[in-house]
Amino acid sequence: MKKIAHIGIAVSSLEQTIPFYRDQLGLTFQGTEEVTSENVRVAFFKIGESAIELLEPLNDQSPIAKFIAKKGEGIHHIALDVDDIERRLENLKENGVPLINDEPKEGAHQTQVAFLHPKAANGVLFELCEKSLED
Ligand code: ZN
């Protein structure tokens, strides 16, 4: 594991939330992007080597819509930067760690991502995140 890639925060509205992170916390806003595989629109803020990712549901099918309905807005997941996501997933599977995604899928910013099941880590949802392109 190289670093915390980002911390994901579930919000009902990016438009209403972005000004706090940009203007009050003074973080560098890096723009928004739709991640259709997750039915979300995300906004990224750079903070040192890491980032904060705000996630807004695109529709009721979105896992973020379900999360907010159940638990309200707030911290949703912690994303870890990894080098070889396929091998990581293989190892975790072999060791019987419960996963949400057996295979990596397309995430924001040309990344490959996969989620561990929160029951693997005391209710914490971890995302593995591998960059396909160097920045
Ligand atoms: Zn994420």
Side-chain angles (χ1 to χ4, degrees):
M1 301 290 175
K2 296 196 294 186
K3 64 177 184 188
I4 291 179
H6 60 262
I7 294 172
I9 298 174
V11 303
S12 301
S13 160
L14 287 183
E15 204 187 325
Q16 286 174 27
T17 315
I18 285 169
F20 171 78
Y21 287 87
R22 185 190 55 207
D23 305 333
Q24 304 308 320
L25 297 184
L27 303 182
T28 308
F29 177 51
Q30 295 186 299
T32 62
E33 184 180 341
E34 275 191 18
V35 183
T36 44
S37 65
E38 291 288 310
N39 288 307
V40 292
R41 200 156 68 95
V42 301
F44 273 90
F45 296 87
K46 193 171 157 51
I47 173 164
E49 283 208 311
S50 299
I52 286 179
E53 174 188 45
L54 303 180
L55 305 109
E56 172 195 74
L58 286 175
N59 53 48
D60 289 346
Q61 303 318 307
S62 168
I64 296 301
K66 289 169 190 162
F67 177 88
I68 291 173
K70 220 167 125 184
K71 299 190 175 174
E73 295 177 298
I75 292 179
H76 178 259
H77 66 270
I78 296 176
L80 305 172
D81 199 349
V82 298
D83 265 336
D84 189 346
I85 192 168
E86 303 219 356
R87 201 148 60 88
R88 287 273 183 184
L89 288 172
E90 278 308 315
N91 288 344
L92 290 167
K93 246 186 285 182
E94 278 169 25
N95 293 334
V97 175
L99 305 173
I100 290 178
N101 307 116
D102 279 354
E103 301 286 334
K105 58 182 182 174
E106 195 79 28
H109 297 154
Q110 286 102 35
T111 52
Q112 293 290 307
V113 304
F115 286 93
L116 276 59
H117 197 284
K119 74 184 176 197
N122 307 73
V124 178
L125 178 59
F126 280 109
E127 174 185 15
L128 303 183
C129 196
E130 182 180 9
K131 278 202 179 90
S132 322
L133 299 172
E134 289 303 314
D135 24 30

